[in-house]
């Protein structure tokens, strides 16, 4: 059989390594579709922290009734007064509260669209339906409203996505430019230092664009700058670490963690109480989720409830740095051992 130049070209182009990479791309594509559609296609409230303010007997009765709702959409708890309810909402301990007026037929619902307008709208519709079944009406008060230029409360989410993209693309560019695996600890340290400069610049740029330039987010520009720097460096350090351990495949692992798992579970498009259990559980442990929660806290909730998310981001940054340096040291030791 004569030799075919075309078949030879195909054999040279479609190597086993290229085939594996293509299979990996297809797998990531399908996981992307499954993750986003699975997380966002059917939002239902589940165990939403919810306050009830009423005289003792009425409050107990209302809490019991709300606890028994089909599907457990609310996690109700009695509160002593409206001031306490407002404080707990601004401290992000609860997402809404119902103030029952036993002397009339109109109750008051306190919501916080700054935490996500989809959630506040969902709770308003749910409580309105419940009140109608009791022949009562509600008036809704938004105690933590989203900004005029951020009507759906999504600017914080998109800002964090941009910061995460800057983190993994910056780290990937640094690593791929001279080989995916750092050859020695000095080179790894230099890449981490450059990543820190990228984080400082990108954090400031994002804070300025969404704050003073576009007026999309309220809150301290300095606080957003600091948060953005931490997010970018955390994602960048994690990217360098995975590349140091797994080579080019590490980029795919970062996309899996940050984009495929992290973005739909971040609570941006759908706040955490509206997500399915799996995404609701993993979101706070990943940079997009910790970052989105913290950004909203800075913009709308007076920097409340940020300790946990900041610790998560710091853990990613520290672990990424440590693994990057350890992988470089082990690689140098391996090269030294193999050298005759």
């Amino acid at each position: 059989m004569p030799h075919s130049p075309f078949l030879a070209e195909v054999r040279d182009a479609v190597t086993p390594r290229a085939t594996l990479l293509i299979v990996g791309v297809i797998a990531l594509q399908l996981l992307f579709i499954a993750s986003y559609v699975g997380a966002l296609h059917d939002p239902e409230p589940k165990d939403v922290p919810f306050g009830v303010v009423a005289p003792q007997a009425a409050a107990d009765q209302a809490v019991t009734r709300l606890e028994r709702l089909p599907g457990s959409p609310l996690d109700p708890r009695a509160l002593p007064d409206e001031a306490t309810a407002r404080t707990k909402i601004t401290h992000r301990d609860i997402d809404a509260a119902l103030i029952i007026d036993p002397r009339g037929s109109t109750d008051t619902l306190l919501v916080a669209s700054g935490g996500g307008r989809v959630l506040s709208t969902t709770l308003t519709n749910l409580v309105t339906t419940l009140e109608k079944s009791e022949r009562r009406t509600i008036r809704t008060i938004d105690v933590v409203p989203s900004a005029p230029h951020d009507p759906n409360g999504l600017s914080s989410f998109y800002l964090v996505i941009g910061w995460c993209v800057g983190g993994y693309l910056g780290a990937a560019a640094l690593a791929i430019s001279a080989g995916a695996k750092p050859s020695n600890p000095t080179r790894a340290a230099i890449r981490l230092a450059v990543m820190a400069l990228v984080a400082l610049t990108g954090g400031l740029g994002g804070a300025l664009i969404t704050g003073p330039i576009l007026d999309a987010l309220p809150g301290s520009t300095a606080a957003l700058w600091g948060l953005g720097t931490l997010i970018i460096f955390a994602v960048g350090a994690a990217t360098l670490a995975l590349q140091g351990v797994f080579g080019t495949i590490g980029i795919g692992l970062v996309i899996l963690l940050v984009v495929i798992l992290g973005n739909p579970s971040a609570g941006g498009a759908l706040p955490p109480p509206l997500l399915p259990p799996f995404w609701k559980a993993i979101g706070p442990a990943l940079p997009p989720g910790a970052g989105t929660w913290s950004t909203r806290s800075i913009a709308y909730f007076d920097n409340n409830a940020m300790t946990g998310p900041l610790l998560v981001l710091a853990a990613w940054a520290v672990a990424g740095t440590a693994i990057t340096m350890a992988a470089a040291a082990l690689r140098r030791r391996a090269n030294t051992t193999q050298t005759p």
Side-chain angles (χ1 to χ4, degrees), residues 36 189 307:
Y36 279 68
T307 302

Side-chain angles (χ1 to χ4, degrees), residues 2-183:
H3 176 72
S4 171
F6 175 74
L7 291 177
E9 290 291 337
V10 170
R11 186 173 58 253
D12 292 339
V14 187
T15 62
R17 183 172 184 271
T19 301
L20 288 175
L21 289 174
I22 290 299
V23 170
V25 169
I26 294 173
L28 287 176
Q29 168 189 292
L30 297 179
L31 286 171
F32 183 97
I33 295 170
S35 179
Y36 279 68
V37 175
L40 307 177
H41 78 290
D42 188 23
E44 291 289 343
K46 180 70 174 178
D47 294 327
V48 181
F50 190 85
V52 176
V53 177
Q56 187 63 47
D60 293 341
Q61 183 179 6
V63 167
T64 300
R65 178 165 60 96
L66 295 176
E67 286 177 336
R68 294 176 178 174
L69 290 175
S72 299
L74 303 177
D75 178 17
R77 69 285 312 267
L79 301 175
D81 51 46
E82 181 176 340
T84 301
R86 287 176 176 266
T87 298
K88 285 190 172 292
I89 290 174
T90 57
H91 286 183
R92 310 198 75 176
D93 295 324
I94 60 175
D95 291 305
L98 180 63
I99 316 299
I100 298 174
D101 180 6
R103 297 170 297 181
S105 60
T106 300
D107 299 326
T108 302
L109 178 67
L110 307 180
V111 297
S113 62
R117 185 168 294 277
V118 175
L119 178 58
S120 62
T121 300
T122 299
L123 292 175
T124 299
N125 293 337
L126 174 63
V127 175
T128 298
T129 301
L130 293 175
E131 291 284 279
K132 283 183 178 179
S133 68
E134 298 288 329
R135 297 184 179 180
R136 300 179 67 83
T137 60
I138 66 163
R139 64 186 184 105
T140 302
I141 298 177
D142 197 343
V143 297
V144 186
S146 57
H149 295 159
D150 183 31
N152 294 315
L154 292 176
S155 295
S156 53
F157 175 53
Y158 294 135
L159 173 61
V160 171
I161 288 179
W163 279 333
C164 289
V165 168
Y168 64 74
L169 287 185
L174 285 171
I176 292 176
S177 64
K181 294 183 179 180
S183 59

Side-chain angles (χ1 to χ4, degrees), residues 284-300:
L286 298 174
T292 299
W293 179 276
S294 299
T295 303
R296 283 178 171 160
S297 287
I298 291 172
Y300 297 114

